[in-house]
């Protein structure tokens, strides 16, 4: 068998050949950190293609549904912009232009002949993380050992998206093993953040984050087992949703830790508008995925839940703000974004528990309280213990086929480190030990449920808190290799609470100055504090999370729309 480096080089060459030569541009030098403006000034996109790629998902779908724009037009525009994005931030893995355009042409023919759309996502290009199998394409998931393995059938989600009329058109980069909050592997290399290329786009769905941020895709699908949708969305300024287990079908996709069925990985949307999140979720769950995936939950889109039937029909909503998780205090820009959001909600509604008649044009009165986190450190540690029960063995067996090194760090010089294979201290635990960890997690889930229910005494609405608003990370996008703390997202995976991200602002060195702190939770918290220098994080987007209860995706989408509207009105 060829050496792993030769296999990787050959795969990378095939990827280069799949890019249409006429779409190659001269990217700016590496010293240009913010490349978000480049796609529109590089000269490759026409004025109409720029207009198409700047259009939100719901408007795109309307224009496609009335025939104003064709699927070919829209797919071509996004494909060109995706290829430009790739040349800027290295975000793509599989590129299959002819195949995507053939699919778009089929949709246009159907529309021409019938005057009808194929489904609710008719003509919409959708990018997919490199775990989601498409028949006839390789899915490497960042493993050299999986080069040359061509999928014999689509993942269920791909079949569902096709049935809904979508156009799968590119696949995107991730880290080897998908168990990192950054995006680097030995085949495709490192993805960078378009707002500041010295920073990470996050991970593991970092290719999606960077691509969607550059508007090279109107809607991407990421996966999330500990934050892998929300971290890149937060680092790249996107709206996203980590749904509950089983709401979006996973069957037929590749993954690490397959067979670990306690803390499930889930697929969810990443996009530039909250309307895009809604369009994806509504289309996918209404396609009855439970008829194709035995683990998919039998629950269609519930319009009454979207209209907040379980939350006072949206009157007197009570949001709880979690300022920190009791483990790590967030950096100043994160704190400022929480303050901005609280002020926007209080302007839309009213602070504390006082309830004043809202202005006539405003139906949503917001009450804002503080959230007291319980056992977040233990929840996240327990989740990692479940993953680590056999993760080392999983990675070693997978990489043993080619002898490629298991990547041990996401640091910039990881090419040197990669040569020294990752050697875990301990291989796995017994089944009985694993059961004890899973039992502990179950006990904490019950405790957290009771804790949430008990907030009914604080809200003044007769209901417990409607949703939690909290950081998606303790910091904005970090320099490469420095994203070391993911508990702000991982706890919600442990509890199986759906969580959306929404953008608030960007790091501003004049507003986000480093303030002295004298009290720390521990040395790790101090280390995160010491990391902060406003100039390093300059221009990085800041998003927050909105968290609800298990299988409450509809309500989460609606409440995210309400918060987003309050932020827009406050601006």
């Amino acid at each position: 068998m060829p050496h792993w480096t030769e296999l990787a080089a050959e795969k990378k060459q095939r990827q280069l050949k799949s890019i249409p030569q006429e779409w190659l541009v001269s990217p700016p030098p590496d010293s240009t950190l913010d490349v978000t403006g480049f796609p529109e000034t590089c000269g490759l996109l026409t004025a109409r293609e720029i207009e198409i790629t700047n259009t939100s998902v719901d408007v795109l779908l309307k224009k496609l549904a009335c025939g104003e724009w064709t699927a070919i037009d829209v797919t071509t525009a996004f494909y060109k912009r995706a290829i430009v994005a790739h040349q800027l931030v290295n975000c793509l893995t599989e590129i299959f232009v002819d195949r995507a355009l053939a699919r778009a042409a089929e949709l246009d023919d159907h529309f021409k002949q019938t005057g009808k759309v194929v489904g609710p996502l008719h003509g919409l290009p959708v990018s997919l993380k490199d775990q989601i199998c498409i028949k006839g394409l390789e899915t490497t998931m960042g493993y050299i050992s999986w080069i040359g393995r061509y999928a014999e059938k689509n993942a269920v989600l791909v079949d569902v998206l096709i049935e809904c009329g979508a156009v799968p058109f590119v696949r995107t980069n991730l880290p080897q093993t998908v168990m990192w909050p950054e995006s680097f592997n030995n085949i495709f290399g490192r993805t960078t953040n378009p707002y500041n290329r010295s920073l990470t786009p996050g991970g593991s769905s970092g290719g999606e984050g960077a691509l969607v941020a550059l508007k090279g895709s109107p809607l991407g699908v990421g996966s999330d087992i500990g934050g892998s949708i929300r971290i890149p969305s937060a680092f790249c300024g996107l709206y996203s949703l980590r749904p509950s287990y089983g709401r979006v079908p996973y069957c037929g996709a590749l993954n690490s830790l397959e067979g670990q069925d306690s803390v499930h990985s889930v697929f969810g949307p990443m996009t530039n508008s909250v309307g895009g999140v809604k369009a994806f979720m509504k289309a996918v769950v209404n396609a009855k995925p439970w008829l194709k995936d035995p683990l998919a939950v039998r629950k269609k889109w519930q319009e009454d839940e979207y209209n907040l039937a379980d939350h006072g029909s949206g009157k007197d909503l009570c949001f709880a703000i979690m300022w920190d998780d009791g483990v790590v205090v967030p950096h100043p820009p994160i704190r400022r974004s929480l303050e901005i959001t609280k002020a926007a909600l209080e302007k839309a509604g009213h602070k504390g528990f006082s309830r004043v008649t809202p202005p006539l044009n405003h139906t949503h009165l917001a009450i804002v309280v503080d959230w007291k986190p319980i056992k977040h450190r233990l929840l996240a540690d327990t989740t990692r213990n479940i993953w680590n029960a056999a993760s080392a063995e999983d990675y070693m067996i997978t990489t043993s086929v080619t002898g490629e090194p298991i990547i041990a760090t996401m640091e910039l010089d990881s090419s040197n480190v990669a040569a020294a294979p990752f050697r875990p201290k301990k291989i796995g635990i017994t089944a009985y030990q694993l059961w004890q960890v899973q039992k502990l997690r179950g006990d904490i889930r019950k405790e957290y449920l009771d804790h949430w229910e008990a907030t009914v005494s604080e809200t003044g609405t007769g209901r417990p808190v409607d949703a939690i608003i909290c950081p998606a990370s303790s910091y904005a996008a970090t320099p490469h290799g420095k994203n070391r703390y993911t508990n702000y997202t991982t706890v919600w995976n442990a509890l199986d609470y759906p969580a959306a991200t929404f953008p608030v602002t960007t790091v501003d060195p004049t507003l986000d100055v480093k303030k002295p702190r004298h009290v720390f939770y521990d040395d790790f918290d101090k280390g995160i504090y010491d990391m902060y220098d406003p100039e390093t994080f300059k221009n990085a987007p800041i998003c927050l999370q909105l968290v609800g209860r298990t299988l409450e995706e509809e309500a989460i989408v609606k409440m995210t729309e309400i918060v987003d509207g309050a932020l827009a009105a406050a601006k």
Side-chain angles (χ1 to χ4, degrees):
M1 180 184 269
H3 192 259
W4 66 266
T5 52
E6 293 168 43
L7 293 167
E10 184 271 337
K11 174 64 182 165
K12 188 79 178 134
Q13 274 308 113
R14 283 193 284 127
Q15 185 205 41
L16 279 171
K17 285 198 181 112
S18 66
I19 298 174
Q21 293 302 295
E22 63 275 18
W23 293 355
L24 294 175
V25 293
S26 301
D30 290 347
S31 57
T32 304
L33 297 180
D34 182 351
V35 292
T36 50
F38 183 82
E40 292 181 23
T41 55
C42 68
L44 180 65
L45 281 79
T46 65
R48 186 156 188 243
E49 286 165 343
I50 290 170
E51 183 194 354
I52 288 170
T53 51
N54 279 321
T55 302
S56 67
V57 168
D58 21 17
V59 177
L60 277 170
L61 289 170
K62 283 191 190 104
K63 288 183 182 284
L64 284 156
C66 73
E68 186 180 334
W69 288 345
T70 67
I72 286 270
D73 288 342
V74 173
T75 303
T76 303
F78 278 104
Y79 226 132
K80 287 168 76 172
R81 193 155 178 156
I83 296 296
V84 174
H86 179 61
Q87 294 169 78
L88 296 170
V89 294
N90 190 42
C91 51
L92 304 182
T93 57
E94 302 298 317
I95 297 162
F96 42 99
V97 181
D98 294 346
R99 188 171 167 156
L101 291 177
R103 161 73 178 158
E106 278 172 24
L107 292 166
D108 287 339
D109 287 347
H110 178 275
F111 187 81
K112 214 176 277 178
Q113 282 162 24
T114 64
K116 292 193 178 89
V117 295
V118 163
L121 301 179
H122 182 96
L124 187 73
V126 176
S127 49
L128 304 167
K129 186 176 184 175
D130 202 73
Q131 289 174 264
I132 305 175
C133 299
I134 298 175
K135 186 180 177 179
L137 296 181
E138 287 162 290
T139 308
T140 61
M141 212 176 78
Y143 277 126
I144 290 164
S145 297
W146 289 356
I147 293 172
R149 283 176 38 172
Y150 291 84
E152 289 175 14
K153 59 183 181 192
N154 290 333
V156 166
L157 182 56
V158 173
D159 283 336
V160 166
L161 289 169
I162 287 169
E163 188 185 309
C164 291
V167 183
F169 78 117
V170 287
R171 282 227 310 264
T172 55
N173 205 26
L174 36 57
Q176 180 202 54
T177 77
V178 301
M179 297 299 288
W180 288 93
E182 299 192 30
S183 299
F184 167 79
N185 61 65
N186 290 322
I187 307 171
F188 300 106
R190 184 183 304 278
T191 303
T192 58
N193 192 310
Y195 287 92
N196 180 337
R197 292 192 291 178
S198 70
L199 306 176
T200 179
S204 60
S205 313
E208 283 300 335
L211 175 67
V212 177
L214 283 165
K215 298 181 180 172
S217 170
L219 190 137
V221 181
S223 69
D224 193 312
I225 196 174
S228 288
I229 287 170
R230 291 158 293 155
I231 292 165
S233 295
F235 285 7
C236 296
L238 306 178
Y239 297 86
S240 70
L241 179 69
R242 177 256 169 220
S244 305
Y245 306 154
R247 201 74 207 270
V248 174
Y250 212 98
C251 186
L254 297 181
N255 203 5
S256 277
L257 320 187
E258 283 196 295
Q260 181 281 107
D261 63 353
S262 179
V263 181
H264 297 259
S265 178
V266 297
F267 289 136
M270 301 168 65
T271 180
N272 281 301
S273 66
V274 68
V277 172
K278 183 187 176 187
F280 172 88
M281 287 304 298
K282 193 171 176 178
V284 169
V285 302
N286 279 344
K288 300 184 181 176
W290 52 88
L291 300 178
K292 298 182 175 75
D293 179 346
L295 298 184
V297 174
R298 193 182 186 94
K299 185 186 176 191
K300 280 180 144 182
W301 180 264
Q302 305 291 320
E303 200 62 26
D304 63 329
E305 289 185 33
Y306 171 71
N307 290 321
L308 301 178
D310 299 329
H311 298 273
S313 300
K315 309 283 192 296
D316 288 5
L317 285 175
C318 181
F319 295 102
I321 292 193
M322 186 176 94
W323 299 95
D324 79 60
D325 67 351
V327 185
V328 168
V329 174
H331 285 177
I334 310 299
R335 173 87 192 190
R336 181 168 63 88
S337 67
L338 288 164
E339 286 164 357
I340 289 169
T341 306
K342 183 181 182 187
L345 288 168
E346 287 176 345
K347 196 173 164 190
H350 295 275
K351 73 180 98 169
F353 305 113
S354 63
R355 290 211 286 297
V356 183
T357 308
L360 289 174
N361 64 351
H362 199 86
T363 54
H364 300 288
L365 180 64
I367 300 154
V368 185
V369 298
D370 289 344
W371 183 259
K372 298 171 193 71
I374 58 164
K375 300 196 173 175
H376 278 220
R377 187 194 300 266
L378 184 58
L379 263 172
D381 288 349
T382 303
T383 304
R384 278 186 283 275
N385 289 340
I386 290 169
W387 298 337
N388 292 341
S391 59
E393 190 175 1
D394 184 37
Y395 308 153
M396 284 162 71
I397 288 170
T398 305
T399 53
S400 66
V401 179
T402 54
E404 74 168 294
I406 299 172
I407 293 170
T409 174
M410 291 281 130
E411 294 278 0
L412 274 176
D413 58 355
S414 56
S415 51
N416 307 333
V417 184
F422 169 64
R423 295 204 188 281
K425 291 184 184 70
K426 184 183 171 197
I427 304 272
I429 57 177
T430 68
Y432 181 76
Q433 288 168 325
L434 174 61
W435 294 346
Q436 303 321 298
V437 179
Q438 289 171 334
K439 180 180 181 298
L440 173 61
R441 173 177 167 246
D443 293 344
I444 305 170
R445 287 179 77 179
K446 168 61 175 153
E447 207 176 324
Y448 219 98
L449 172 65
D450 293 346
H451 176 61
W452 194 316
E453 282 295 300
T455 60
V456 69
S457 65
E458 292 174 55
T459 59
T461 64
R463 299 186 308 279
V465 158
D466 291 297
I468 300 166
I469 291 170
C470 66
S473 175
S474 46
Y475 31 62
T478 65
H480 299 289
K482 305 297 183 196
N483 188 12
R484 299 187 318 228
Y485 185 70
T486 63
N487 288 20
Y488 277 101
T489 50
T490 303
V491 289
W492 311 124
N493 298 80
L495 295 163
D496 193 25
Y497 288 168
T501 61
F502 59 92
V504 180
T505 184
T506 55
V507 177
D508 180 337
T510 54
L511 294 174
D512 299 315
V513 292
K514 187 167 188 170
K515 297 183 179 79
R517 254 181 84 195
H518 304 293
V519 181
F520 298 94
Y521 286 116
D522 58 15
D523 288 347
F524 186 81
D525 179 34
K526 185 176 187 304
I528 299 289
Y529 167 81
D530 290 342
M531 250 175 88
Y532 183 62
D533 171 3
E535 283 303 321
T536 304
F537 292 86
K538 192 174 175 176
N539 203 37
I542 307 164
C543 294
L544 296 175
Q545 290 183 96
L546 187 141
V547 181
R549 317 259 211 129
T550 307
L551 293 172
E552 267 207 314
E553 286 73 24
E554 291 88 339
I556 292 301
V557 170
K558 182 62 155 193
M559 287 190 272
T560 304
E561 287 172 358
I562 290 166
V563 174
D564 194 49
L567 284 165
K571 272 176 196 158

